[in-house]
């Protein structure tokens, strides 16, 4: 459980969740699986995947009341986001939960499947995977901008349907 991060880091506007990556010259992380976690009432980093982090799986997680961004992807990170539920709470902004930093990111390294955002895609039968995403200036993400199939070999963990 990643909940209510230290608010002093953000001028009292809520704390951060989990950061994967580094802005230094340290080798970027790889082969990370975040499975069945709960992120509650963090402003940002639920998680935030940056740099050239590679082979990051974000599977069957529940994110509630994210104040700014739920899942954030920056740099050339390769990410599979599968079967997650993003539930807006009283402090959540009304925009889409996933923020893809398109100006610096090759979105073809991002694969989305079976995710739900309670404000923008209530169930898997409506809309498309990119309905839960936005990029700079709240611009929409089109289906052609993200990968249409997995971009790396999965760890083998099986995801549960997000609506269960």
């Amino acid at each position: 459980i990643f909940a209510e991060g230290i608010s002093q880091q953000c001028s009292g506007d809520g704390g951060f969740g989990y950061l994967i990556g580094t802005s230094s010259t340290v080798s970027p992380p790889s082969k990370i699986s975040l499975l069945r976690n709960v992120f509650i009432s963090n402003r940002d980093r639920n998680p935030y995947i940056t740099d050239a982090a590679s082979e990051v799986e974000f599977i069957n997680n529940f994110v509630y009341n994210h104040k700014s961004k739920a899942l954030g992807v920056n740099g050339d990170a390769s990410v599979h986001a599968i079967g997650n539920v993003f539930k807006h709470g009283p402090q959540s902004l009304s925009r889409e939960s996933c923020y893809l930093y398109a100006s610096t990111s090759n979105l073809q390294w991002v694969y989305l499947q079976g995710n739900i955002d309670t404000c923008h895609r209530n169930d898997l039968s409506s809309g498309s995977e990119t309905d839960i995403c936005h990029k700079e200036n709240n611009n929409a993400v089109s289906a052609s901008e993200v990968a249409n199939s997995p971009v790396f070999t999965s760890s083998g963990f099986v995801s549960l349907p997000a609506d269960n």
Side-chain angles (χ1 to χ4, degrees):
I1 297 174
F2 299 87
E4 299 180 355
I6 299 170
S7 63
Q8 286 79 9
Q9 294 177 329
C10 305
S11 302
D13 190 25
F16 292 124
Y18 187 55
L19 173 65
I20 300 172
T22 176
S23 59
S24 69
T25 58
V26 176
S27 297
S30 66
K31 299 188 183 210
I32 296 171
S33 298
L34 290 170
L35 309 166
R36 300 180 182 147
N37 294 287
V38 177
F39 293 82
I40 302 171
S41 298
N42 294 307
R43 184 186 109 189
D44 199 342
R45 298 181 183 172
N46 294 292
Y48 176 49
I49 304 162
T50 186
D51 293 323
S54 62
E55 299 185 24
V56 177
E57 296 177 310
F58 188 64
I59 301 174
N60 291 129
N61 296 283
F62 180 74
V63 180
Y64 174 70
N65 196 34
H66 53 281
K67 294 175 180 85
S68 177
K69 297 177 276 295
L71 173 64
V73 179
N74 195 2
D76 289 321
S78 57
V79 178
H80 290 173
I82 302 171
N84 301 290
V85 174
F86 303 97
K87 183 173 177 60
H88 291 248
Q91 296 172 319
S92 298
L93 298 174
S94 62
R95 65 182 177 207
E96 299 83 354
S97 296
C98 299
Y99 186 65
L100 307 178
Y101 295 81
S103 66
T104 59
S105 178
N106 175 359
L107 297 181
Q108 290 297 313
W109 290 104
V110 177
Y111 174 65
L112 306 166
Q113 179 191 13
N115 299 289
I116 291 176
D117 177 323
T118 59
C119 278
H120 301 279
R121 186 179 192 210
N122 285 322
D123 59 61
L124 298 177
S125 65
S126 64
S128 71
E129 291 296 334
T130 56
D131 289 347
I132 69 165
C133 301
H134 71 281
K135 52 189 178 183
E136 288 87 4
N137 302 316
N138 288 327
N139 292 324
V141 175
S142 70
S144 64
E145 290 181 276
V146 296
N148 60 8
S149 62
V151 295
F152 56 85
T153 303
S154 171
S155 64
F157 290 104
V158 177
S159 67
L160 301 171
D163 55 357
N164 281 347

